Amino acid sequence: MPTEPEMRGGWLTGWRVYRQVAARLRERITTGVYQAGSILPSEAALSAEFRVARNTIRRALEALEADGLILTVPSKGRLVRAGGQTVNAPYRYQVIAGELRQRIERGDLAPGDPLPSEAELCWLYDASRNTVRQAFAELEREGLIVSRHGKGRFVRPAPRRPGTSDSRV
């Protein structure tokens, strides 16, 4: 049984290849090639780089996750953990919602102002419609925006005080 990694024609060969791949990735993490908080290359990219099957890469990544070096985040990939701490990398919809929230809180978007359209935000953030809709849903749940069917989404107007009249009726 071979114990040292071998290269034949550029391919990793030998017994338990996933351990060899895991050792190389572990070295890259500990030496700072992959820094804390960074996203590892995709399984397909690693598979092409190491010239092994994708299942071998998965097993290597599972070993690194069991060691606490990386964290799998659905829809994002595998992130390098920061000193044993969980890396809190926001999803794209959270980034979009956060930036819109800041604009509302700063007053760039005043009560009653229309928000950028779904199409605009898709283009600006290079995101899907569902991602943008998720950001809008988060802001609606927080009570910062309202949706008017056929009109768009608007910054929620300030609540009317009892005894005052609204001249915009």
Side-chain angles (χ1 to χ4, degrees):
M1 261 189 262
T3 56
E4 292 294 317
E6 299 174 26
M7 293 290 284
R8 288 200 186 123
W11 290 80
L12 273 176
T13 61
W15 188 70
R16 303 278 184 188
V17 174
Y18 81 92
R19 288 184 182 168
Q20 299 168 31
V21 172
R24 289 186 184 180
L25 291 173
R26 185 177 293 108
E27 180 183 339
R28 290 179 185 177
I29 291 170
T30 56
T31 60
V33 174
Y34 298 134
Q35 296 184 358
S38 66
I39 298 175
L40 291 177
S42 68
E43 289 177 1
L46 290 171
S47 179
E49 177 186 345
F50 288 106
R51 300 187 73 183
V52 296
R54 205 161 164 181
N55 194 43
T56 302
I57 296 296
R58 275 192 203 114
R59 289 188 71 191
L61 294 171
E62 287 171 6
L64 294 175
E65 191 163 10
D67 292 345
L69 291 173
I70 64 171
L71 175 69
T72 301
V73 179
S75 301
K76 294 200 85 152
R78 291 181 174 90
L79 300 163
V80 178
R81 293 181 85 157
Q85 300 295 322
T86 301
V87 177
N88 186 15
Y91 291 99
R92 180 160 294 162
Y93 82 90
Q94 292 171 320
V95 170
I96 296 168
E99 290 183 12
L100 288 173
R101 187 180 304 108
Q102 285 177 348
R103 290 178 62 189
I104 292 169
E105 289 169 355
R106 278 194 319 252
D108 297 343
L109 291 170
D113 283 354
L115 270 66
S117 69
E118 285 180 9
E120 273 183 274
L121 292 173
C122 287
W123 181 80
L124 283 170
Y125 290 95
D126 192 27
S128 70
R129 278 182 117 62
N130 283 338
T131 300
V132 171
R133 287 177 181 164
Q134 217 172 351
F136 282 145
E138 183 172 301
L139 295 173
E140 283 185 60
R141 277 192 304 274
E142 294 173 12
L144 293 174
I145 66 171
V146 293
S147 179
R148 295 190 190 129
H149 185 69
K151 302 286 184 191
R153 291 177 178 86
F154 300 84
V155 178
R156 179 176 292 269
R160 283 190 252 160
R161 296 183 192 145
T164 60
S165 64
D166 189 358
S167 60
R168 292 181 291 147
V169 178

